[in-house]
C-alpha cells in the first residue's frame, strides 16, 4: 500500500527491507530520494542553460556572419531533433551504465559544443557545435532522465516530483535568459556562449558526488514503496530501446501521445523559445525586454508545471491535456495583435498565461505513458519526447524560413494555434488502460 508521508515511507523501509540490506543506526529525517531529486533539478538547470541562447543569438549571428535566419534555424532544429532522438537511448544507457556516468558525459558534451562555437566561422560549424554536440548532450539529460529518476526513487508523489523536475528547465531559463541577454547586449554573443559552457561544467561535481543510480545503492526503499534489489545492468541498451519502440508503435495511445506532444514541442521550444525574441525585435522591442518576457514565462512555467503534477495525481490526465492544448491554441491566435515596441498589459497577460501552460503537459503525458507501458514507460516517454523535439525542430526551421519569405511571423503564430486545437482532440480520444492489466503494453487486435 502506497504511503504518502515521509515518516510512513521510512517505517515502510524498515518493515520491507530484507535482513541483508544495509542498516543504519539512525535514519535521516529527509529521505534520500529528495536529495537525488534536488541534484537532478540542479543538473537540468545546468544543462538547460544553453537553451536560453538560440533565440538571443539569431540576430547577432545574422548580423556578424550574414547567415540567413533559415540557416541558423536549421542548426537549432538539428539540436532540437537530436535532443529528442537521443532521449530514449539515454534512458536505456542509464539502465546499462548508470545515471551518474551518462549525465557527466552529457554535461561535458554541452560544455564542449558551447565553447567550440566561440571560434566558428562557417554555418556548418554552427550545425556541428550547436546541433550535434549540444543536441546529444542535452538530449541525454532530457525529460527521460527525469522519468528514470522518478520511476526508480519514488512510488508516492510521482506526479508532484515529475512537475518539479520538469520545472527545472524553466528555472534554468529564468536564471540564464536575462543574464545572457545582458551579456549579449554588453559584451557580444561569445561571452554568453562561454557562460553556459561553464554552467554545465559546474554541475558535474554535484552529480558525481551526490547522485545515486538506485535506492538499493544506499540500502533504502524508494520513497513511499517497498525495498527492491537493484537490477543487474541491462545489456543491449540500443536493442531494447528499439524493441520498446516497435512494441509501443503497435498501440493507439502511443501515436496519439506522440502526435500531441509533437505539437507541444512545436508551440513551445520550436516557436516561442526560438522565435519570440526576434519577432518582438521586428516590432521594435529591445532584445533585453523580449528576453525578460521569456524569463517571466519561466517563472510561471514553474508554478504551472508543479500545479499540473498535483492535478495529475487527482484528475484524468487526458482531460487535463485537452484543456492545456485548447487554451494554448487560443492564446497563440491573439499573439500577433499583442506585438508592439513596448510591453503592454495584454502582452503581460499572454506571458503569464503561456508560462502556466508551457510544460504543464508533461506530468499528464508521462502519467499516461506509465499507465499504458509500465516498466518501459521511461523509454516510451523518451520516444514520445523525441516526437516533441521533432515538432520543435520543424517549427524552429520553418519559422525562420517563413520570416525570410513573408517578412513576419504572423502566419507561424496562427498555424501553431490551429495545431494546438488538433492536439486537444488527440488527447480526448486516448483510451484508458484496463484496470486489470497494469504495466503492460496495450496492443490492439
Amino acid at each position: 500500500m502506497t504511503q504518502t508521508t515521509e515518516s510512513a515511507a521510512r517505517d515502510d523501509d524498515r518493515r520491507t527491507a530484507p535482513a541483508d540490506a544495509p542498516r543504519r543506526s539512525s535514519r535521516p529525517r529527509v529521505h534520500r530520494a529528495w536529495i537525488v531529486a534536488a541534484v537532478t533539478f540542479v543538473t537540468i538547470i545546468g544543462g538547460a542553460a544553453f537553451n536560453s541562447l538560440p533565440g538571443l543569438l539569431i540576430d547577432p549571428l545574422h548580423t556578424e556572419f550574414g547567415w540567413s535566419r533559415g540557416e541558423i534555424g536549421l542548426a537549432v532544429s538539428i539540436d532540437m531533433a537530436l535532443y529528442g532522438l537521443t532521449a530514449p537511448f539515454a534512458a536505456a544507457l542509464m539502465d546499462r551504465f548508470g545515471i551518474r556516468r551518462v549525465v557527466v558525459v552529457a554535461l561535458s558534451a554541452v560544455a564542449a559544443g558551447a565553447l567550440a562555437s566561440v571560434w566558428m566561422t562557417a554555418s556548418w560549424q554552427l550545425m556541428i557545435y550547436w546541433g550535434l554536440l549540444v543536441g546529444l548532450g542535452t538530449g541525454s539529460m532530457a525529460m527521460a532522465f527525469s522519468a528514470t529518476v522518478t520511476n526508480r526513487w519514488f512510488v508516492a508523489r510521482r506526479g508532484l516530483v515529475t512537475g518539479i523536475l520538469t520545472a527545472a528547465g524553466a528555472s534554468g531559463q529564468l536564471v540564464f535568459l536575462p543574464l545572457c541577454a545582458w551579456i549579449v547586449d554588453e559584451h557580444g554573443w561569445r561571452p554568453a556562449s562561454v557562460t553556459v559552457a561553464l554552467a554545465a561544467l559546474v554541475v558535474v561535481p554535484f552529480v558525481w558526488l551526490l547522485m545515486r543510480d538506485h535506492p538499493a545503492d544506499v540500502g533504502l526503499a524508494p520513497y513511499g514503496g517497498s525495498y527492491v534489489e537493484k537490477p543487474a545492468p541491462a545489456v543491449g541498451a540500443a536493442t531494447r530501446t528499439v524493441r520498446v519502440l516497435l512494441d509501443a508503435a503497435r498501440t493507439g495511445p502511443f501515436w496519439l501521445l506522440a502526435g500531441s506532444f509533437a505539437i507541444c514541442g512545436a508551440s513551445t521550444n520550436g516557436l516561442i523559445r526560438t522565435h519570440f525574441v526576434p519577432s518582438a525585435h521586428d516590432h521594435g522591442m529591445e532584445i533585453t525586454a523580449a528576453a525578460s518576457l521569456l524569463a517571466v514565462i519561466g517563472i510561471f512555467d514553474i508554478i504551472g508545471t508543479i500545479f499540473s503534477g498535483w492535478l495529475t495525481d487527482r484528475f484524468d490526465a487526458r482531460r487535463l491535456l485537452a484543456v492545456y492544448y485548447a487554451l494554448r491554441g487560443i492564446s497563440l491566435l491573439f499573439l500577433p495583435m499583442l506585438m508592439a515596441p513596448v510591453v503592454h498589459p495584454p502582452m503581460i497577460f499572454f506571458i503569464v498565461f503561456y508560462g502556466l501552460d508551457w510544460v504543464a503537459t508533461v506530468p499528464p503525458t508521462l502519467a499516461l505513458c506509465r499507465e499504458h507501458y509500465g516498466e518501459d514507460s521511461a523509454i516510451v516517454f523518451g520516444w514520445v519526447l523525441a516526437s516533441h523535439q521533432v515538432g520543435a525542430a520543424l517549427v524552429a526551421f520553418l519559422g525562420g524560413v517563413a520570416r525570410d519569405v513573408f517578412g513576419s511571423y504572423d502566419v507561424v503564430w496562427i498555424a501553431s494555434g490551429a495545431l494546438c486545437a488538433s492536439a486537444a482532440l488527440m488527447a480526448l480520444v486516448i483510451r484508458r488502460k484496463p484496470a486489470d492489466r497494469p504495466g503492460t503494453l496495450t496492443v490492439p487486435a
Side-chain angles (χ1 to χ4, degrees):
M1 178 177 179
T2 299
Q3 304 291 333
T4 58
T5 66
E6 288 186 19
S7 60
R10 292 196 299 270
D11 291 342
D12 191 59
D13 291 349
R14 299 188 185 99
R15 289 194 304 269
T16 56
D20 59 349
R23 295 282 186 176
R24 297 179 181 176
S25 57
S26 61
R27 295 247 177 211
R29 298 185 67 181
V30 177
H31 194 285
R32 184 61 178 266
W34 295 108
I35 297 175
V36 172
V39 174
T40 304
F41 188 91
V42 174
T43 302
I44 295 172
I45 289 178
F50 190 87
N51 291 332
S52 303
L53 278 185
L56 300 177
L57 301 192
I58 288 178
D59 285 335
L61 292 177
H62 174 70
T63 300
E64 178 173 339
F65 297 108
W67 301 335
S68 71
R69 290 174 176 83
E71 284 181 291
I72 301 169
L74 179 59
V76 177
S77 71
I78 293 172
D79 165 56
M80 291 183 175
L82 284 177
Y83 176 99
L85 294 172
T86 302
F89 292 95
L93 287 173
M94 288 176 187
D95 288 343
R96 175 66 178 87
F97 298 105
I99 296 173
R100 284 198 301 174
R101 294 178 182 177
V102 173
V103 172
V104 166
V105 171
L107 288 167
S108 301
V110 172
L115 284 175
S117 67
V118 171
W119 294 281
M120 66 185 176
T121 56
S123 60
W124 64 266
Q125 294 170 327
L126 177 70
M127 294 173 192
I128 291 177
Y129 303 148
W130 278 22
L132 182 62
L133 284 176
V134 175
L136 290 174
T138 55
S140 297
M141 297 178 293
M143 296 174 195
F145 169 38
S146 301
T148 301
V149 170
T150 303
N151 287 350
R152 290 186 185 182
W153 282 90
F154 291 87
V155 173
R157 307 298 189 189
R158 278 180 171 175
L160 176 62
V161 174
T162 299
I164 292 172
L165 295 183
T166 303
S171 300
Q173 177 176 296
L174 172 62
V175 171
F176 287 100
L177 257 174
L179 174 63
C180 290
W182 177 81
I183 293 174
V184 170
D185 264 359
E186 297 294 327
H187 305 287
W189 65 270
R190 288 179 176 84
S193 189
V194 172
T195 298
V196 299
L198 293 177
L201 290 176
V202 164
V203 179
V204 170
F206 291 94
V207 174
W208 192 253
L209 294 174
L210 299 176
M211 177 66 70
R212 293 295 180 269
D213 294 330
H214 194 277
D217 289 341
V218 289
L220 292 175
Y223 181 77
S226 301
Y227 183 91
V228 292
E229 293 290 344
K230 182 179 180 179
V235 296
T239 301
R240 180 191 174 201
T241 302
V242 174
R243 175 185 57 77
V244 170
L245 170 64
L246 294 176
D247 288 343
R250 298 170 59 199
T251 70
F254 173 79
W255 292 107
L256 292 169
L257 288 169
S260 60
F261 218 43
I263 294 171
C264 178
S267 56
T268 52
N269 292 350
L271 184 65
I272 298 294
R273 178 170 288 167
T274 305
H275 295 295
F276 178 81
V277 171
S279 177
H281 190 57
D282 284 347
H283 288 80
M285 186 179 295
E286 294 292 333
I287 289 179
T288 50
S292 297
L293 289 176
L294 277 184
V296 173
I297 284 181
I299 296 174
F300 288 94
D301 183 6
I302 297 170
I303 298 171
T305 306
I306 294 175
F307 184 55
S308 178
W310 183 86
L311 291 174
T312 302
D313 287 334
R314 291 160 174 80
F315 299 101
D316 188 339
R318 301 170 304 162
R319 292 189 173 91
L320 290 176
L321 284 177
V323 171
Y324 296 157
Y325 286 126
L327 293 177
R328 182 184 299 180
I330 292 171
S331 67
L332 285 173
L333 296 178
F334 285 97
L335 183 56
M337 296 179 283
L338 305 179
M339 291 291 185
V342 296
V343 180
H344 293 294
M347 175 60 82
I348 295 176
F349 178 81
F350 170 85
I351 291 297
V352 171
F353 180 84
Y354 214 82
L356 292 172
D357 191 74
W358 183 272
V359 286
T361 55
V362 172
T365 300
L366 180 53
L368 288 169
C369 286
R370 191 179 296 120
E371 175 183 327
H372 285 275
Y373 305 110
E375 63 182 13
D376 290 329
S377 61
I379 296 177
V380 173
F381 182 72
W383 284 113
V384 172
L385 177 62
S387 71
H388 180 281
Q389 293 305 115
V390 169
L394 287 173
V395 171
F397 171 61
L398 294 176
V401 172
R403 171 60 178 81
D404 290 334
V405 172
F406 298 107
S408 78
Y409 286 99
D410 289 358
V411 66
V412 183
W413 307 128
I414 296 171
S416 297
L419 283 174
C420 288
S422 64
L425 293 176
M426 291 181 192
L428 286 176
V429 299
I430 297 174
R431 293 183 179 180
R432 294 304 304 268
K433 176 74 178 179
D436 58 338
R437 296 179 60 197
T440 57
L441 290 173
T442 306
V443 182

